[in-house]
Amino acid sequence: MGSNPAMKTPKDAAIAGYGVYIPRYRLPSEEVARIWRGGEEAPLIKKAVAALDEDITTMAVEAARRALKMAEVKELGAIFVGTETKPYAVKPTSTIVAQALAQHKVLASDLEFACKAGTEALQLILALIGSGMIESGLAIGVDTAQGRPGDDLEFTAASAAAAYILSKRDGDSIAVVEGASSYVSDTTDFWRRAGQPYPRHLSRFTGEPAYFHHIQSAVKNLFAEFGYKPSDFKYAVFHQPNPRFPVEVALRLGFNLEQIKPGLLNPYVGNPYAANSLLGLAAVLDEAHVNDLILLCSFGSGAGSDALSIRVLDGVEVKRRKAQNKVMDMLKAAVDIDYATYAKLRGKIVG
Amino acid sequence: MARVIISSVGYTRVGDHWDKSILDLAVEAARKALKPYPNIRPEVIIVGNMFSSQSSKQEHLGALLASALNLTGTPAFKVEAACASGGVAFNVAYSKVRSGEVSSALVVGVEKMRDLDVSEASLALSMAESAEYTQFMGASFLSLNGMLARLYMETYNVSRSELSAFPAIAHTNAATAEHAQFRKAISVEDVSRSPLVSDPLRLLDCAPLGDGAAALLLTSEEFNGDDESMVEVLSSKISTDIFSIYERDDMLRFNATKDAASKAFSEAGISVEDVDVLEVHDAFSVSAALSVEAMGFSKEGEGAKDAARGLYALKGRYPALTFGGLKGRGHPVGATGLYQIAELWLQLKGRGNVNQVEGCRIGVAQNIGGVDTTSVVSVLARR
Amino acid sequence: MAISYWRRRDRYYRLLGNRCTQCNSEYYPPAYLCRRCGSESLVDVEMPTTGQILTYTILREVMSGFEGQQPIVIGIVQLDNGVKVLGQIVDTPLDALKIGCRVRLVFRKIRDESNVGQIYYGYKFTALC
Ligand SMILES: [Zn+2]
């Protein structure tokens, strides 16, 4: 694997703005445990729950509007929405986002790769800008993840959106992707068949052969190809399906807790699938300084990981002042709900 | 110009007519109105109705009714202006007789509401408002009046019990009205304690859903050799306002009613003080209050307070809702404007029984569509 | 519904009203003729996204098509340009609602035809109080 040439990320394409949307409601995992486990001790998570009238489209639009405002970009050339919880099986969400943003001269598509469709969207936009096909583009990772009632997934499967505007690099750019390495294999650890409302998974198998193998492979390749070592990075953001995995994988790869803590949102948000690692990146960008290096590594079941090294640029301070909602603000605005409210909001009560 | 006389009236009781179709109801009311004058063949038939297409999947009510009454050949058509459909149908019939175009007209208001369940009826009623910008957002007609009630109470410091006065008056009168949907008195406290439906409006602030039909035979003077006193239509005026309340500068002004009333009173040669009996559009407690204010019976912000002071009770200065109004008699939408006229006819003829307003000579009916988007004000007199 | 919605999607998605080119009066819903000066010359313009609650109600029985959403809060909001707009107010505890509350525009589902038909999106408001 290491003998393959490294991905050549364009140096003249950069993050010009980002925006996140985390719905207001939180379901504490104790509530799931109360209903399904007889109150057994639960992981300390509060997962973000979208309101009755929210779906990936509404959250994508909210996040995209914030990103656009920060980026101050007028025209987009492409919009990619990475998600696995499309409300329409056939009919793009990206066109609804385009209409809401009044952007029509765009290449638009929805991408699906379980939890890693967001970082894919980001890389595709980078490539389009780098190739000169477009000047600016929008990448969104968004999901309203659902776990079958009573399943382990129900503790964490959450809702959120993260949007990134990428553009030709200039003095106001926030960050640039220095290097990228992706790694995939046919590993069916988690899946959802067409027409089914809830995913299935192979429980413990989602760990070692799936999450750990793919993340470790992608990150090790990235290090080998670009000569990085863990201490080069101020921050590291790993896909975080639960509070344990990202800590474990970070330690295995030689990172320390200080590096991952700022981007570790799982205890406060849960796992919003395609928005997961991009949300962590946004939290890091909310506090990063010029020249900081950030490792971002997603994981999507099925399976694969995208590892990206991201360098913070001069524009970060100025642009941050234009940001409407920091990740921390959205975490603070949270309101806890009980299981009954959650069931109503997420359509689990069918009248 | 011909003088226009209301020769006779006919109506069904308002309520749940499970066994009667929209045509059954219209025919029943029409035949009662036609019965006293078997020799009069109306020269035009006008039907007031709002949503037969929704409730009965039936349009073309004019010809449908004409045919059922064996009156084929007679021009017949439906008039629609939301909840003001009945009042506007009356206005059209009145104008035709008044102008001399016809010397007799049958006007029938009818609505079949109970074939719809509550959420469907709510949707049908919301068609009085903008489909694109009000209904689309989930704002039912009830919710608009809920917002209006909150603004009214806040702006004029109106208390809950003051707001409850009109419904209480309506039910007091409905208790002894044979054709009323709810022949049951309720207290101000009953209204104030009823379940919230669209805050601050409570269930008993709102007119019920009910089926019904009312009909009038209008004639020019020469037909009426009756030895009883005649009921003449002195005027009937329609006005309209900016369509949605949120598009208006002042949401608490019923401009259409104000305009229609001022024109109708002026043409009839009367002033507010001349009015002996009053039928206002009390679809909601708040709409009754804003209506009496717009017509000048109460000062701005004083409508509900005046009702609480007794001004609009049967024995008050301006007896209103004398057979229960929309709240107590019922509000079969397209028929409502004609029930109001029929009730004034009963009063002016002295046939009000226990609900009689003694010695009344001048009656006023006000019927609105939407939140006072269309308003019809008519003035009747005993001759 | 699907087509009448499509026709107005820019209105619903972006609160796109219009402005009189003669006297600068702004309208939402867009006016056909300027109500202030009678001008026929109006151009589309996005409305501001913040304002305050003028009045509101909590509707406990919803219309056909909105089943399962009750109770819904409906308000009339005065935007910062003075234009009044009707819309739902979401994500706000019922006991926190007040006349005068600041609100911000949000993008939400208005109706969802039971997993089979179309989803209708549009603006709502969320209270900042
Ligand atoms: Zn103008």
Side-chain angles (χ1 to χ4, degrees):
Chain A
M1 286 307 208
S3 60
N4 279 0
M7 278 189 182
K8 294 182 183 60
T9 52
K11 298 295 171 280
D12 57 344
I15 295 170
Y18 59 93
V20 300
Y21 180 78
I22 306 171
R24 184 165 297 189
Y25 304 105
R26 296 290 180 281
L27 180 68
S29 48
E30 295 94 311
E31 272 296 294
V32 181
R34 178 173 71 87
I35 300 300
W36 294 112
R37 303 286 159 87
E40 171 201 324
E41 219 169 283
L44 291 173
I45 297 174
K46 288 185 177 185
K47 69 167 184 173
V49 178
L52 190 71
D53 57 355
E54 294 186 293
D55 64 11
I56 60 143
T57 313
T58 65
M59 297 196 300
V61 168
E62 289 288 340
R65 282 182 171 159
R66 288 163 194 191
L68 261 183
K69 199 153 254 178
M70 188 187 200
E72 295 182 309
V73 163
K74 293 249 174 328
E75 288 188 354
L76 298 173
I79 297 175
F80 292 135
V81 177
T83 182
E84 59 141 88
T85 41
K86 278 162 63 85
Y88 289 99
V90 176
K91 141 98 196 168
T93 292
S94 51
T95 57
I96 308 173
V97 174
Q99 188 82 36
L101 301 179
Q103 298 287 336
H104 294 277
K105 215 179 145 191
V106 292
L107 179 66
S109 198
D110 297 356
L111 308 173
E112 186 276 311
F113 193 144
C115 297
K116 93 166 182 79
T119 52
E120 276 180 352
L122 191 136
Q123 291 182 89
L124 291 177
I125 296 288
L126 267 185
L128 287 170
I129 297 170
S131 70
M133 280 182 74
I134 63 169
E135 292 277 320
S136 298
L138 168 61
I140 303 172
V142 56
D143 265 307
T144 51
Q146 298 257 42
R148 177 187 303 281
D151 189 284
D152 281 349
L153 278 176
E154 201 181 25
F155 287 98
T156 56
S159 301
Y164 286 80
I165 305 281
L166 296 123
S167 210
K168 284 277 179 211
R169 183 171 171 175
D170 61 24
D172 287 337
S173 295
I174 294 170
V176 64
V177 177
E178 275 191 358
S181 191
S182 290
Y183 181 87
V184 303
S185 77
D186 177 9
T187 301
T188 311
D189 57 318
F190 165 109
W191 67 97
R192 180 166 64 84
R193 293 291 299 269
Q196 293 302 307
Y198 298 113
R200 300 293 180 97
H201 59 86
L202 295 180
S203 197
R204 214 173 150 69
F205 185 73
T206 59
E208 211 55 61
Y211 179 87
F212 290 101
H213 175 66
H214 291 84
I215 288 188
Q216 287 170 225
S217 300
V219 172
K220 281 177 181 163
N221 290 342
L222 182 79
F223 283 13
E225 287 154 9
F226 293 89
Y228 295 127
K229 54 188 187 302
S231 59
D232 294 336
F233 293 89
K234 176 77 183 293
Y235 303 98
V237 179
F238 297 99
H239 176 65
Q240 34 204 276
N242 56 46
R244 290 178 295 113
F245 280 14
V247 174
E248 170 72 19
V249 84
L251 297 176
R252 283 190 198 182
L253 286 164
F255 291 90
N256 61 45
L257 294 179
E258 289 305 301
Q259 288 165 294
I260 62 167
K261 208 176 159 215
L264 193 56
L265 302 179
N266 183 280
Y268 321 108
V269 178
N271 178 9
Y273 289 23
N276 184 315
S277 52
L278 290 181
L279 209 58
L281 176 63
V284 165
L285 289 174
D286 277 349
E287 64 158 74
H289 296 95
V290 180
N291 219 31
D292 284 348
L293 191 61
I294 303 164
L295 174 74
L296 172 68
C297 189
S298 60
F299 169 73
S301 288
S305 282
D306 298 327
L308 305 174
S309 53
I310 298 167
R311 179 77 65 183
V312 179
L313 299 176
D314 293 342
V316 71
E317 308 276 354
V318 177
K319 282 283 179 63
R320 254 192 324 232
R321 269 177 244 133
K322 289 170 188 152
Q324 288 189 303
N325 295 78
K326 294 193 163 195
V327 174
M328 199 50 74
D329 297 335
M330 306 214 71
L331 296 181
K332 281 181 192 152
V335 175
D336 286 357
I337 55 173
D338 60 13
Y339 195 92
T341 305
Y342 161 73
K344 181 189 177 193
L345 297 184
R346 290 292 84 209
K348 294 176 196 300
I349 305 171
V350 180
Chain B
M1 299 271 238
R3 298 186 112 169
V4 182
I5 306 301
I6 301 171
S7 295
S8 59
V9 305
Y11 44 79
T12 69
R13 187 180 170 183
V14 181
D16 300 337
H17 289 288
W18 305 118
D19 56 341
K20 289 173 188 161
S21 72
I22 191 164
L23 183 60
D24 294 341
L25 292 165
V27 167
E28 182 179 328
R31 290 182 68 180
K32 283 180 183 166
L34 291 170
K35 201 167 181 191
Y37 295 90
N39 297 325
I40 296 180
R41 185 184 168 93
E43 292 167 46
V44 65
I45 298 171
I46 296 164
V47 179
N49 170 266
M50 180 180 171
F51 51 70
S52 60
S53 57
Q54 294 295 309
S55 67
S56 310
K57 303 289 175 278
Q58 180 69 61
E59 283 296 1
H60 211 175
L61 296 183
L64 186 71
L65 180 60
S67 173
L69 295 171
N70 275 353
L71 291 172
T72 48
T74 310
F77 53 88
K78 163 173 161 173
V79 165
E80 187 278 317
C83 306
S85 297
V88 171
F90 172 75
N91 176 284
V92 173
Y94 161 75
S95 302
K96 283 186 171 284
V97 178
R98 177 90 172 137
S99 70
E101 182 191 337
V102 298
S103 53
S104 62
L106 175 68
V107 53
V108 182
V110 63
E111 207 74 61
K112 185 75 195 159
M113 302 180 79
R114 282 305 204 181
D115 284 10
L116 299 173
D117 70 34
V118 174
S119 69
E120 290 170 338
S122 178
L123 178 63
L125 289 167
S126 79
M127 293 178 189
E129 298 293 330
S130 167
E132 293 182 320
Y133 298 103
T134 303
Q135 188 197 108
F136 176 77
M137 294 301 165
S140 63
F141 194 59
L142 167 63
S143 72
L144 290 177
N145 284 278
M147 289 190 282
L148 205 62
R150 184 179 305 280
L151 194 60
Y152 181 69
M153 294 173 83
E154 184 99 355
T155 305
Y156 297 117
N157 196 24
V158 173
S159 70
R160 178 58 254 185
S161 63
E162 286 164 348
L163 193 66
S164 300
F166 269 116
I169 291 170
H171 274 256
T172 300
N173 297 339
T176 48
E178 277 185 20
H179 61 284
Q181 183 166 3
F182 293 126
R183 283 186 283 189
K184 179 176 182 283
I186 57 173
S187 67
V188 163
E189 290 70 34
D190 291 334
V191 180
S192 303
R193 276 194 238 116
S194 61
L196 283 164
V197 290
S198 189
D199 312 32
L201 289 181
R202 292 171 181 270
L203 185 66
L204 295 179
D205 281 300
C206 312
L209 301 174
D211 304 330
L216 310 171
L217 181 62
L218 302 188
T219 57
S220 56
E221 209 169 9
E222 64 267 26
F223 286 102
N224 296 271
D226 205 345
D227 57 2
E228 273 189 277
S229 54
M230 288 188 280
V231 174
E232 180 179 357
V233 185
L234 297 185
S235 64
S236 176
K237 293 291 174 187
I238 304 173
S239 190
T240 54
D241 196 3
I242 293 170
F243 197 77
S244 300
I245 55 168
Y246 47 84
E247 296 177 300
R248 300 175 194 165
D249 288 335
D250 185 344
M251 298 194 281
L252 290 176
R253 287 237 164 90
F254 273 17
N255 295 314
T257 286
K258 184 177 182 171
D259 186 44
S262 125
K263 288 170 178 163
F265 289 8
S266 158
E267 185 167 305
I270 64 157
S271 61
V272 167
E273 293 73 34
D274 299 321
V275 177
D276 301 314
V277 54
L278 179 61
E279 292 302 325
V280 298
H281 194 95
D282 63 325
F284 302 93
S285 51
V286 67
S287 55
L290 291 170
S291 294
V292 293
E293 293 172 20
M295 287 188 282
F297 294 101
S298 286
K299 293 200 184 80
E300 208 170 82
E302 295 287 321
K305 292 176 191 290
D306 281 345
R309 293 176 193 123
L311 190 70
Y312 300 106
L314 202 59
K315 304 282 184 215
R317 172 64 185 85
Y318 298 113
L321 317 172
T322 60
F323 294 92
L326 281 64
K327 175 69 198 83
R329 169 241 298 132
H331 180 30
V333 178
T336 290
L338 294 168
Y339 274 100
Q340 292 180 321
I341 304 283
E343 288 161 351
L344 289 180
W345 185 89
L346 292 175
Q347 290 289 3
L348 297 170
K349 284 278 203 181
R351 299 185 188 181
N353 296 325
V354 285
N355 294 51
Q356 184 64 43
V357 175
E358 292 307 327
C360 62
R361 280 197 58 254
I362 301 283
V364 165
Q366 175 247 8
N367 178 207
I368 64 181
V371 184
D372 199 49
T373 304
T374 294
S375 181
V376 196
V377 176
S378 302
V379 181
L380 276 55
R382 188 185 71 218
R383 286 186 56 208
Chain C
M1 177 92 214
I3 295 169
S4 60
Y5 161 78
W6 172 84
R7 187 179 297 128
R8 296 291 181 242
R9 64 201 188 290
D10 278 330
R11 308 283 179 213
Y12 299 153
Y13 291 5
R14 292 163 50 210
L15 201 61
L16 188 68
N18 65 3
R19 176 194 292 142
C20 172
T21 60
Q22 303 301 305
C23 74
N24 287 324
S25 296
E26 294 190 350
Y27 298 100
Y28 190 89
Y32 290 91
L33 299 169
C34 179
R35 283 201 285 276
R36 306 257 145 58
C37 77
S39 165
E40 295 176 23
S41 169
L42 295 118
V43 291
D44 281 354
V45 58
E46 283 186 20
M47 296 288 110
T49 56
T50 51
Q52 62 169 347
I53 297 174
L54 290 182
T55 184
Y56 67 93
T57 187
I58 302 159
L59 183 63
R60 288 145 209 271
E61 274 201 41
V62 292
M63 285 189 287
S64 178
F66 294 84
E67 291 90 349
Q69 295 193 33
Q70 68 273 25
I72 59 179
V73 180
I74 297 172
I76 293 175
V77 163
Q78 184 151 37
L79 301 173
D80 293 338
N81 63 351
V83 170
K84 297 197 282 290
V85 175
L86 176 145
Q88 288 188 31
I89 300 169
V90 295
D91 279 4
T92 308
L94 299 184
D95 55 10
L97 285 164
K98 262 173 60 181
I99 288 178
C101 263
R102 294 287 299 164
V103 295
R104 173 176 73 73
L105 191 90
V106 293
F107 184 84
R108 293 292 174 108
K109 287 199 285 187
I110 306 291
R111 289 177 60 177
D112 186 341
E113 291 182 336
S114 60
N115 296 329
V116 178
Q118 290 199 16
I119 303 166
Y120 304 113
Y121 297 97
Y123 55 82
K124 293 185 182 179
F125 297 93
T126 189
L128 304 171
C129 55

